[in-house]
Amino acid sequence: MTKFYFICLLWVLGTAAGHCQISPAGAQFELRGVVKEKGSNQGLPGVAVSTSTGGYTLTNAMGEFKIKVVMGQELVLESPNMETVRYKVISKDDLRIEVEGAERENVGVSKSRRGVRSTSLYNSYIDSANYYKKSNIGKSIDFITQSLSQLAMGNNKEQLAIAYSTLGEVYQYHKQYDLAISSYKDALLAHKTLKTSLLLGKTYVLNKEYGEAGKLLSPLVKITKMVPFQRVELYETLGDAYVGLGDVDNAVAFYNEGLRIAEKNQIAPKTIDLNSKIATAYAKGNRLQEANAYFNNSLELSSVQAPQRAVQEKEKVADFYNQKNQYGQEIQLRKKSLEDLKKIPKKEMGDGLAVENDSITAQRINYKIANAYIAQDKYDEAIPYLEESIKDANVDNDLLVRKDATRKLSEVYKYKGDYTKALETYQEYVAVVDTLYVKKEQEIARAARFNRELASKQSRISGLEKERELTQSKYSLALTEQQLVAESIKRQNWIIYSLIFGMLLMGLAAYFFYRSNKQQKLANNLLALKSLRSQMNPHFIFNALNSVNNFIAKSDERSANRYLSDFSTLMRAVLENSDEDFIPLSKELELLELYTKLEHSRFSDKFDYGIIVDEDMDIDAFQIPPMLLQPYIENAIWHGLRYREDKGFLKIEIKQKDKFALEICITDNGIGRKQSAALKTQNQKKQKSKGMGNIKKRIEILNDMYKDKVDVFISDLEANGSGTKVLFTIKRD
């Protein structure tokens, strides 16, 4: 008696602990609700209702929904016809949510009572089709056919897409994958939705069209607005596709991304699935250590879920152990599965728990345990499990397992040398095969009849769609006629208004034409200035690089390095000012001093120089075009002072002429312009003409834009023609 009480106490404590593990965040309950449109008080169908733990449902034709939640959880309600709504569950009372409906443009759809009634019937038929989707494929397809008939005079692409998507789900559930793919494609052709794209991707994988699945789903990764559960499904399906293609690395990468999102949003079922699928992918890639680690994760996670889910995972891991020839671990795990299976009521098991293409039943598990013992030549241990498998198969009328187990038992008796029992068991096997053969013939006949019925229903749907399109075409033609009449009246009014508007435009055009000419002239001037500056910069750089080349030719490395350092400083300053029409005088003086210093370092035996600035003048008050003086200084050095026999002098003098004008005088006592011209080659004359021509054009454009801002006068310094004087006058605005 004491032992009985002790066992009861342990059972109560175990049940309580298990309940705590399954529902750590509180008791789960079913919440009922309805989504209504403000004003009209009509229910909104097709609204997606989801939870952070992966719960998902759609509102029916009346806008009603049911979903399992826990207290404090957040619901997310989404639909193209309304703004997204978030609601925190604070009670178990029925929920009523009112939303602002989006305006829709339904071409050719009247808002009469007939139209409302047709929409209501359509929604009812779709709900009925979903209800019979798993239990009666014929009824489900009939309801979808009737829903399509309600769209004969409408042009609602969304409703058409929902009908075809529902049809695809029916075909997918009953493993008619080709028909499902065709239906999903029709749905996407009518109206693209993320849900339909995901369903089509899954069906491609089920139909082993892995390349098509990847091609369809890969672009969806870039979509930013997606419910977490849908994004997990997207990554999971992409992983399945890559597993099918044999690309383990890409498959694991997608599974891991899905696992990260599932863990972040606490979507427990998907967390188990993805751990298991990662393990399966690694196993296919023969990376057994990683596979084992992830299978252990999935086993641990499934242990706190419903018993059915735990059994599924144990069997999947046991299959993995079988592939690795780890029969001891396989047998141990399958025995635990048998114990868990006994705890699941028959009504919850149905026809057996599905695991990929197999189902989990007691007879199958016993048969697999027996096979594991046989692989180790442990025939005595295998016999009880084979007998138990045959017994359970008889109870469930599972002829396939009964056939395999009976044949295997006959072989075991043969291996043991018990030929009498082996013969008896083999005769039982033959009898089961005969029965199975008859059953298979019946199933083939039923399947042929079922396929004929499906073809007939599919043909009816296709005919109905063609009829709907023809009716829609006639309706659209009549509507187009009315639109053409209205368009003709609009066109006449438009011509009258256009004439009035045209007269106003002509007046405005004359004004804008005048203003445009001025702006065009300014733009042309700016473009010309930029072009001239872009021509001068390479000319200046070329000459400076020649100087560097001269130092290198003389093997004067230190001078070349020093020259390059100063040259880079100068170039940086020149490039900074290259886009400006005017820069402060102080900046230009810095550039001139640096440039003159560079030239003096090369021709130190030919000239000295001096830059004289009037102490009384305000340097910051004046602006000057950048690189305006440099070409004249360059000419003075290269074409005047360089050819002197003795040392010459270059003087740059800056003074304020009056309050609004500045004078810059560049003088040199070189050989003079005439003698310099006589010494130059034909090519040098051409280059000089081009360089000085650019300066002249620059000054002309600046004066045109800024009203005679710059004046330049060039003269001989001495009466005998030696020396040169360049006088600039720059006015201040």
Side-chain angles (χ1 to χ4, degrees):
M1 194 70 176
T2 306
K3 185 177 180 182
F4 172 75
Y5 284 126
F6 180 69
I7 292 171
C8 289
L9 179 62
L10 284 177
W11 181 80
V12 170
L13 290 174
T15 304
H19 180 73
C20 293
Q21 286 180 330
I22 294 171
S23 304
Q28 196 177 54
F29 63 93
E30 187 175 72
L31 178 68
R32 297 173 179 266
V34 63
V35 183
K36 298 277 188 178
E37 185 177 6
K38 284 183 182 177
S40 66
N41 202 35
Q42 290 184 348
L44 288 180
V47 177
V49 184
S50 61
T51 67
S52 58
T53 55
Y56 185 81
T57 187
L58 292 170
T59 57
N60 62 16
M62 306 300 293
E64 299 167 341
F65 67 89
K66 292 185 292 184
I67 192 167
K68 290 186 177 181
V69 296
V70 296
M71 200 66 70
Q73 198 169 43
E74 187 179 63
L75 290 182
V76 180
L77 294 90
E78 297 177 300
S79 170
N81 304 318
M82 67 178 217
E83 292 185 2
T84 300
V85 175
R86 295 181 181 275
Y87 175 79
K88 189 173 183 180
V89 179
I90 55 175
S91 74
K92 296 184 179 180
D93 297 336
D94 289 354
L95 181 63
R96 179 186 173 91
I97 296 176
E98 293 186 352
V99 297
E100 295 285 352
E103 293 292 329
R104 297 186 187 180
E105 184 180 354
N106 295 319
V107 180
V109 180
S110 66
K111 293 186 179 178
S112 62
R113 290 184 180 179
R114 180 181 175 184
V116 173
R117 185 168 62 253
S118 176
T119 303
S120 178
L121 280 171
Y122 164 83
N123 290 327
S124 298
Y125 288 139
I126 291 295
D127 287 343
S128 300
N130 281 315
Y131 180 80
Y132 287 107
K133 178 169 63 178
K134 297 180 180 180
S135 59
N136 191 323
I137 184 174
K139 275 189 177 182
S140 187
I141 294 175
D142 285 339
F143 279 121
I144 292 169
T145 305
Q146 292 179 63
S147 73
L148 287 170
S149 67
Q150 299 301 314
L151 304 177
M153 288 298 292
N155 192 28
N156 194 325
K157 297 293 185 183
E158 292 181 24
Q159 290 182 333
L160 184 63
I162 290 170
Y164 275 119
S165 184
T166 306
L167 182 62
E169 290 183 67
V170 173
Y171 284 140
Q172 181 180 336
Y173 182 80
H174 292 279
K175 299 183 179 179
Q176 303 295 316
Y177 299 130
D178 289 338
L179 292 173
I181 288 169
S182 177
S183 298
Y184 287 139
K185 284 181 176 178
D186 288 339
L188 289 174
L189 196 63
H191 180 70
K192 287 188 177 181
T193 63
L194 180 62
K195 178 187 174 184
T196 306
S197 297
L198 290 172
L199 286 169
L200 178 56
K202 287 180 183 178
T203 313
Y204 273 138
V205 171
L206 291 170
N207 206 37
K208 298 183 179 179
E209 297 181 42
Y210 305 115
E212 292 296 322
K215 195 187 303 181
L216 171 72
L217 298 178
S218 293
L220 303 183
V221 174
K222 298 177 183 177
I223 297 175
T224 53
K225 293 184 179 179
M226 195 183 297
V227 176
F229 186 79
Q230 288 180 323
R231 188 166 291 280
V232 172
E233 283 193 323
L234 171 62
Y235 286 127
E236 181 182 10
T237 310
L238 278 168
D240 293 341
Y242 278 108
V243 167
L245 292 169
D247 189 346
V248 173
D249 290 334
N250 268 324
V252 170
F254 279 114
Y255 284 147
N256 273 320
E257 190 61 27
L259 180 60
R260 182 185 65 79
I261 297 169
E263 288 175 343
K264 180 181 178 182
N265 294 277
Q266 298 179 346
I267 308 174
K270 286 296 179 185
T271 305
I272 301 169
D273 290 342
L274 288 165
N275 270 288
S276 182
K277 287 189 174 185
I278 291 170
T280 304
Y282 277 134
K284 286 187 178 181
N286 205 29
R287 295 163 65 176
L288 302 180
Q289 188 173 355
E290 293 95 326
N292 195 52
Y294 277 98
F295 271 132
N296 287 336
N297 288 344
S298 64
L299 275 177
E300 185 179 346
L301 291 167
S302 65
S303 64
V304 298
Q305 296 296 313
Q308 295 95 321
R309 186 67 185 86
V311 171
Q312 286 178 346
E313 203 54 39
K314 284 186 179 72
E315 282 304 290
K316 191 178 288 188
V317 178
D319 290 339
F320 169 69
Y321 287 145
N322 179 269
Q323 292 170 9
K324 291 172 60 181
N325 299 328
Q326 295 181 356
Y327 301 115
Q329 290 173 278
E330 177 194 355
I331 291 168
Q332 185 180 359
L333 204 54
R334 292 199 195 278
K335 286 180 178 179
K336 288 181 181 178
S337 294
L338 280 175
E339 292 173 7
D340 291 342
L341 209 59
K342 291 175 185 176
K343 300 174 185 176
I344 303 173
K346 280 280 184 181
K347 62 180 180 179
E348 291 185 25
M349 288 171 58
D351 295 329
L353 302 174
V355 52
E356 296 182 355
N357 297 323
D358 203 349
S359 58
I360 300 174
T361 56
Q363 55 265 30
R364 286 185 183 274
I365 297 174
N366 278 308
Y367 177 68
K368 288 179 179 180
I369 292 173
N371 275 331
Y373 277 125
I374 292 168
Q376 302 174 78
D377 297 331
K378 297 180 179 179
Y379 303 121
D380 292 330
E381 288 88 340
I383 290 172
Y385 286 99
L386 287 172
E387 290 173 344
E388 189 67 24
S389 176
I390 295 168
K391 176 184 170 185
D392 290 337
N394 279 332
V395 173
D396 293 340
N397 197 25
D398 188 347
L399 291 176
L400 282 174
V401 175
R402 183 181 168 191
K403 170 183 73 71
D404 293 339
T406 306
R407 179 179 57 80
K408 187 65 71 173
L409 183 59
S410 174
E411 290 174 358
V412 168
Y413 282 135
K414 180 183 174 183
Y415 295 148
K416 287 180 56 111
D418 192 343
Y419 298 107
T420 304
K421 285 188 177 180
L423 179 61
E424 290 175 2
T425 312
Y426 186 77
Q427 289 171 343
E428 290 176 14
Y429 164 71
V430 171
V432 174
V433 169
D434 289 340
T435 307
L436 185 61
Y437 180 76
V438 173
K439 186 178 179 182
K440 280 293 179 185
E441 282 189 331
Q442 293 172 349
E443 286 179 357
I444 290 169
R446 280 198 301 270
R449 187 169 62 253
F450 175 71
N451 286 334
R452 285 196 298 272
E453 289 175 3
L454 276 187
S456 173
K457 292 180 186 296
Q458 185 65 26
S459 176
R460 184 184 170 194
I461 289 173
S462 300
L464 185 63
E465 176 59 16
K466 288 178 182 177
E467 184 182 340
R468 191 191 71 82
E469 289 176 357
L470 182 61
T471 307
Q472 183 62 41
S473 297
K474 291 178 180 177
Y475 182 76
S476 299
L477 189 61
L479 185 64
T480 303
E481 266 185 50
Q482 295 178 0
Q483 289 175 342
L484 284 173
V485 173
E487 193 67 30
S488 178
I489 296 170
K490 284 182 182 179
R491 193 177 293 110
Q492 291 174 6
N493 292 335
W494 183 82
I495 291 171
I496 295 169
Y497 295 140
S498 295
L499 288 172
I500 297 170
F501 185 66
M503 294 175 69
L504 292 172
L505 277 180
M506 286 179 66
L508 287 171
Y511 166 73
F512 284 118
F513 182 73
Y514 169 75
R515 197 175 76 169
S516 176
N517 276 345
K518 289 186 68 177
Q519 290 176 342
Q520 187 63 42
K521 185 178 179 182
L522 177 61
N524 288 341
N525 284 339
L526 290 172
L527 187 61
L529 276 176
K530 187 173 182 180
S531 175
L532 290 170
R533 284 198 299 266
S534 68
Q535 291 175 37
M536 289 187 66
N537 285 340
H539 172 76
F540 163 66
I541 294 168
F542 176 78
N543 287 341
L545 288 176
N546 274 340
S547 297
V548 177
N549 187 47
N550 182 58
F551 282 121
I552 294 170
K554 293 178 179 178
S555 300
D556 190 351
E557 187 178 341
R558 289 187 61 189
S559 297
N561 287 337
R562 186 170 60 254
Y563 189 95
L564 277 174
S565 176
D566 290 340
F567 172 67
S568 65
T569 304
L570 176 61
M571 278 307 304
R572 190 177 296 110
V574 168
L575 291 174
E576 285 175 358
N577 301 326
S578 62
D579 287 334
E580 304 293 335
D581 289 340
F582 289 88
I583 63 171
L585 178 60
S586 56
K587 278 192 177 182
E588 180 69 4
L589 287 176
E590 289 175 8
L591 292 176
L592 288 178
E593 187 166 1
L594 187 54
Y595 171 72
T596 310
K597 176 186 173 184
L598 286 171
E599 293 291 12
H600 183 259
S601 67
R602 182 177 175 188
F603 301 111
S604 58
D605 59 332
K606 290 293 183 181
F607 75 96
D608 287 325
Y609 70 93
I611 300 175
I612 304 166
V613 181
D614 189 355
E615 294 180 356
D616 296 330
M617 71 174 293
D618 184 5
I619 296 178
D620 295 328
F622 288 92
Q623 299 272 325
I624 184 170
M627 296 289 288
L628 182 66
L629 306 177
Q630 182 270 336
Y632 292 98
I633 296 171
E634 183 180 342
N635 274 349
I637 296 169
W638 281 73
H639 305 302
L641 295 168
R642 188 162 65 109
Y643 293 109
R644 279 181 62 96
E645 294 180 0
D646 55 347
K647 203 170 192 179
F649 189 79
L650 172 68
K651 182 167 74 171
I652 303 167
E653 190 175 5
I654 301 148
K655 62 181 179 179
Q656 191 165 342
K657 183 179 179 182
D658 55 39
K659 187 177 180 181
F660 298 103
L662 170 73
E663 276 189 355
I664 302 174
C665 184
I666 301 172
T667 58
D668 70 86
N669 57 355
I671 62 174
R673 291 181 292 169
K674 290 181 181 179
Q675 192 175 348
S676 176
L679 293 173
K680 287 183 182 177
T681 65
Q682 193 65 29
N683 185 52
Q684 287 174 327
K685 289 178 183 179
K686 189 186 295 185
Q687 288 187 356
K688 175 189 174 184
S689 175
K690 185 178 178 182
M692 297 309 294
N694 283 349
I695 291 293
K696 186 177 180 182
K697 288 177 185 176
R698 246 183 107 190
I699 292 171
E700 286 175 359
I701 293 171
L702 288 169
N703 285 336
D704 183 50
M705 292 172 62
Y706 299 104
K707 305 301 179 189
D708 298 326
K709 189 173 179 71
V710 181
D711 289 327
V712 183
F713 299 97
I714 303 174
S715 60
D716 295 333
L717 186 62
E718 303 294 342
N720 61 2
S722 64
T724 306
K725 177 180 179 182
V726 182
L727 182 63
F728 288 89
T729 303
I730 301 173
K731 296 176 182 176
R732 183 172 68 176
D733 292 336

